[in-house]
Amino acid sequence: MTAIDSLLAGLVRNRRSHGANAVVTGAGSGIGRAFALELAARGGHVVCADIDPDRAGETVRLITAAGGRALAQVCDVSVHDDVVTLADVARREFDGPPTLVINNAGVGIGGLPVGEIGMDDWNWALGINLWGVVHGCETFAPLVRGAGRGGIINVASAAGFAAAPTMGPYNVGKAGVMSVSETLSAEMSGTGVAVTVLCPTFVKTNVARDGRITDNGRGLAGWLMEKTGHSPESVAAATLDANDLGRLYVVPQVDATVIWHLKRHFPTPYTWGAGLLNRLLPEEQHTDTSSQPDTAYADQH
């Protein structure tokens, strides 16, 4: 589907992703950096937001070295006031409203069952993965709508519909991102603003290294990313093409598409199978994950 989208998007006049005044959160690495670089290559002017100023600055240097325009801005998306400040900075930088916003910043978390996770990890993960996107949509939706045409892209995950065991906070956050994207898409109907939600499985980023993931989970996730993960560059380009075409969902990998259909058509057997697979995996060592760095979300997407 993404290859077809790329061909079809080439036929669209006045593509949203070309020449955009764009804001990207989590732009310091991974999918966020790939979005920022691709937007700049498409002639865009990009505000690169990240909790880590060095990583945001490096993305900007890569863009400017290639002849593009970009600005780095420190932003903790879990803090609403930070996102409001980001919007103010973007309007000054663009001398007008942004026309494309990518709510990408997120964290990885997993390895423990519900009941053993602890409220600190629930609050931390949902504060970034869910509330970060809510803050971005609530703050930027009126601005993009006011521009009369544009796009909003929210980065979710196949976890939002796969609901794999021992990934409770991650699953809940990404399911929420899907829901708010679907709601916003309906609300934006007829305004010229397209809403797209990205739902990949494994992409070659640093989520397995930097999130609050137990040792077994980190090892498995890292191995799957290395063996099956798509490049962030290909995922970012495909998602921008999909937004140009006005598509709501981007499910870029075959495994994600299979899970999507299995879950919807065979929900009870799917859940039974997921539970069986979880029981067959090596028993997790329940180590304390709270000491892992809270600044990791610059790296996840």
Side-chain angles (χ1 to χ4, degrees):
M1 182 179 72
T2 54
I4 295 173
D5 281 354
S6 181
L7 292 173
L8 292 175
L11 303 176
V12 176
R13 298 180 61 184
N14 300 318
R15 297 169 66 180
R16 296 178 182 87
S17 68
H18 286 248
N21 288 333
V23 176
V24 182
T25 68
S29 63
I31 299 176
R33 176 172 286 179
F35 270 124
L37 294 175
E38 181 65 23
L39 284 163
R42 297 183 184 203
H45 187 174
V46 189
V47 172
C48 301
D50 202 284
I51 198 170
D52 187 320
D54 294 333
R55 289 173 174 173
E58 177 60 24
T59 300
V60 168
R61 285 189 290 273
L62 291 170
I63 290 172
T64 56
R69 295 178 297 165
L71 172 74
Q73 174 65 27
V74 176
C75 180
D76 180 345
V77 297
S78 70
V79 178
H80 181 246
D81 286 349
D82 270 23
V83 180
V84 172
T85 297
L86 174 63
D88 291 340
V89 168
R91 281 184 290 188
R92 290 196 298 269
E93 177 71 8
F94 302 143
D95 194 24
T99 60
L100 184 59
V101 175
I102 301 179
N103 294 304
N104 161 78
V107 290
I109 184 167
L112 297 176
V114 174
E116 298 180 23
I117 296 164
M119 294 312 302
D120 179 64
D121 278 359
W122 276 101
N123 289 329
W124 175 76
L126 293 179
I128 299 163
N129 289 348
L130 178 55
W131 280 106
V133 174
V134 171
H135 292 157
C137 290
E138 187 72 12
T139 302
F140 283 101
L143 303 181
V144 179
R145 186 188 291 114
R149 185 177 183 279
I152 296 174
I153 296 173
N154 295 326
V155 177
S157 167
F161 52 83
T166 73
M167 292 179 60
Y170 192 74
N171 296 340
V172 170
K174 295 306 183 179
V177 171
M178 293 181 67
S179 182
V180 73
S181 301
E182 291 161 354
T183 303
L184 185 60
S185 179
E187 293 170 350
M188 288 292 190
S189 178
T191 68
V193 177
V195 178
T196 298
V197 57
L198 171 60
C199 302
T201 48
F202 293 100
V203 181
K204 293 180 178 179
T205 69
N206 295 326
V207 58
R209 186 192 70 190
D210 284 350
R212 292 186 182 183
I213 303 175
T214 54
D215 290 342
N216 285 5
R218 186 181 298 108
L220 178 60
W223 183 85
L224 287 169
M225 283 180 189
E226 180 62 29
K227 300 300 181 183
T228 69
H230 284 207
S231 72
E233 292 79 13
S234 65
V235 171
T239 306
L240 292 173
D241 290 341
N243 189 256
D244 285 341
L245 292 169
R247 294 200 189 280
L248 174 56
Y249 303 106
V250 175
V251 184
Q253 295 122 316
V254 173
D255 54 346
T257 302
V258 169
I259 294 169
W260 173 280
H261 288 292
L262 285 175
K263 180 68 179 297
R264 275 153 178 73
H265 297 295
F266 308 101
T268 300
Y270 172 86
T271 302
W272 180 87
L276 176 62
L277 180 60
N278 182 59
R279 292 193 298 274
L280 293 175
L281 289 173
E283 185 175 351
E284 185 66 73
Q285 297 297 315
H286 292 187
T287 55
D288 179 13
T289 60
S290 63
S291 62
Q292 295 179 20
D294 286 5
T295 57
Y297 74 78
D299 256 355
Q300 196 247 331
H301 293 144

